Amino acid sequence: MNFSKKTRQKEIDLLKQGTENDLLVIGGGITGAGVALQAAASGIKTVLVDMQDFGGGTSSRSTRLVHGGIRYLKTFDVQVVSDTAKERAVIQHIAPHLVYPDPMLLPIYDEPGTTFTMFSVKVAMDLYDHLAEINKSKQLRKYANYTLTKDEVLEREPQLNPDKLVGAGVYLDYQNNDSRLVIEAVKKAHDEGGIMLSRVKAVKIIHNANNQVVGCRVKDMLTGEEFEIKAKIVINASGPWSDLVKSIDNANTDRPQMRPTKGIHLVVDSSKLQVPQPTYFGSGTDDGRMIFTIPREGKTYFGTTDTDYYGDLEDPRVELEDVSYLLKIINKKYPTANLTIHDVEASWAGLRPLITTEDNTTDVVSGASQSVNNSKSPSTVSRGSSLAAGEDGLITLAGGKLTDYRLMAQAALEMIAKKLENDFNKSVILADSKKLIVSGGDFDSENVEESLNKFAEIGESKGLKYEEALSIVRVFGSNATKIFDLLNQFDNVEGFSCAEAAMLRYSLDEEMVLDPVDYLLRRTYHMLFKADTVEEVKKAVLKNMASYLEWDAEELTVRTEELNKAIEESELAYLK
């Protein structure tokens, strides 16, 4: 189904007619997308708005893992680990082209503040496998944990620092394409009849005579026009912006509950830092932070930091202090790398929506009581979640992490369905979100590699090299066949291969790409993992988008400047 700037305007015009919707979701990150998908699939008349691109905030700036959180076992958060470990397999099923098993190496060092010893890591991994039911699954059994001796670790990862290294554990974890998980969920919600709008900002919650929420006044960030969206129920799923959304509700009396923290990641070429698999270790600075080094598309990225954040929520930046912190740790763990800021090809900074109220709240996922203390360091604050309705009916779903998004959405939908029945006499049978396959995931999730290879062979039959076709399939899944069908339209595109031109056209037609950063950063990872070629393709991207979106010379100039700024920020030009 077409999902583009043209459909966007038609749907805005429809909303301006004043028809009442069942549900308005504020926030188009992974949590809001999960809510919108299940709602729309359940026959709930759903609208979603986000002031940025879908996933433009937190949900495109993660470590890009569906992480089970093994370190929480050290603090006996067994229920949290149990829920999230099992949930990874569910997400892999509903987004099989985006989420895939990738075992994690956990080196163990005999140093102060270490998270695990060789004894405790084996105990933790065995419990972890049990909670994740790995031995019950034919697919996952081959990923059962094991340990390595010091010599075996160094044979596998020779750049690791051998000093005080005693061995390692290896356990199952999952890689993920975070921004594409969002857009694929949004596309599916749109296919199910939902209205999904990016670049539409909530500016004021509106109420009826009884002071109950009946919708929201919003602003189209492309045109500056304001209009009202009427809805029986409004849910605030805006992540780090949750308190700000509450602030546009004049009836809200809740205390602020969010404590945004910033995490950054840096990308270098794999020739500078070679890791054969995702690797996870303590920072060695006694700050409780764990560091990842992850290979991807010929590059290695590493992070993350975890610091309280008080700046602009829309544009968190990588600062020199962040870079220095990570480089110091990485160069200690990989002493032959000798990385400097000039080796960094790309970067990103994201915010975590931590909940920091002193009140006791109930975690949406585990159902456990949680009490969060503001005095804790960011790295020790729980990644718990909360779901609550205000006196005026505004529902707020906050906190959590990517791995929990479906469970959080499920809890929200149960509240929404109950409210629709009790307050509006509308009966809803909720769709099973465990079976709601996102766009692009329409193939056998039990045989992912075989399915992806077959799709790649279709691309090969259309004239692409097999590896090029496979790379497209790994991003777009079953929708790659639509891209392959477009190839014959692009024989001679200046500055572009036929495949690149077809991918861009598909994204413009069906993925609500509205500016070059949407495409080069979030629909693809070109700016992050192909930063050395982004200058070669950006002119073609701008030219094709200008034609498709009918930009005049002034708008093309503005979009070019925005893209150049985003590239410079990613490359850390302002720090070099």
Side-chain angles (χ1 to χ4, degrees), residues 27 126 341 369:
D126 285 345
I341 192 172
S369 177

Side-chain angles (χ1 to χ4, degrees), residues 127 184 189 270:
L127 177 56
E184 300 289 32
S270 59

Side-chain angles (χ1 to χ4, degrees), residues 131-378:
L131 295 173
E133 300 181 342
I134 286 175
N135 290 326
K136 292 183 180 180
S137 168
K138 290 182 179 179
Q139 264 192 311
L140 300 180
R141 203 169 293 158
K142 62 184 177 181
Y143 297 114
N145 78 80
Y146 58 93
T147 58
L148 298 173
T149 65
K150 176 179 179 178
D151 289 343
E152 289 171 332
V153 175
L154 293 174
E155 182 179 357
R156 181 175 298 193
E157 200 159 325
Q159 275 191 291
L160 269 174
N161 191 339
D163 186 36
K164 298 183 180 180
L165 176 68
V166 293
V170 179
Y171 65 94
L172 177 61
D173 221 335
Y174 287 72
Q175 283 217 41
N176 161 54
N177 187 320
D178 55 0
S179 55
R180 287 215 59 86
L181 183 60
V182 175
I183 192 61
E184 300 289 32
V186 166
K187 287 160 60 182
K188 184 66 172 182
H190 186 260
D191 289 347
E192 294 286 350
I195 294 178
M196 308 286 112
L197 299 173
S198 60
R199 270 81 175 192
V200 173
K201 181 179 181 178
V203 295
K204 186 177 182 180
I205 302 296
I206 54 179
H207 302 81
N208 62 16
N210 296 320
N211 210 29
Q212 291 298 295
V213 172
V214 292
C216 185
R217 187 163 186 82
V218 300
K219 180 178 181 180
D220 184 344
M221 302 302 286
L222 298 186
T223 65
E225 181 183 20
E226 293 191 6
F227 59 97
E228 290 186 353
I229 299 176
K230 294 183 179 180
K232 295 180 178 73
I233 299 173
V234 178
I235 183 168
N236 169 12
S238 57
W241 288 264
S242 293
D243 288 338
L244 292 179
V245 170
K246 287 183 181 180
S247 74
I248 63 171
D249 178 5
N250 293 335
N252 174 64
T253 58
D254 293 344
R255 292 183 298 175
Q257 67 172 157
M258 304 309 297
R259 179 183 176 179
T261 66
K262 185 180 75 171
I264 77 146
H265 296 79
L266 306 176
V267 183
V268 299
D269 192 79
S270 59
S271 63
K272 299 286 185 179
L273 179 60
Q274 296 180 345
V275 293
Q277 67 187 99
T279 304
Y280 184 46
F281 50 83
S283 67
T285 63
D286 206 25
D287 61 2
R289 184 97 285 269
M290 299 293 289
I291 305 297
F292 296 91
T293 55
I294 301 174
R296 195 155 191 162
E297 300 182 41
K299 308 295 179 183
T300 301
Y301 67 93
F302 50 89
T304 176
T305 57
D306 197 10
T307 54
D308 285 307
Y309 184 74
Y310 306 99
D312 181 4
L313 295 178
E314 290 186 47
D315 188 28
R317 282 164 59 108
V318 177
E319 303 294 347
L320 185 59
E321 183 180 2
D322 303 322
V323 177
S324 298
Y325 170 86
L326 280 183
L327 290 181
K328 182 178 179 181
I329 292 168
I330 292 297
N331 284 329
K332 180 180 178 182
K333 290 298 182 189
Y334 301 91
T336 62
N338 294 315
L339 296 178
T340 72
I341 192 172
H342 298 287
D343 294 311
V344 177
E345 296 183 356
S347 67
W348 66 90
L351 301 179
R352 299 180 186 87
L354 300 186
I355 299 174
T356 183
T357 176
E358 295 288 347
D359 300 330
N360 284 324
T361 59
T362 300
D363 182 71
V364 173
V365 174
S366 68
S369 177
Q370 56 185 357
S371 181
V372 184
N373 191 318
N374 291 357
S375 63
K376 288 185 176 181
S377 70

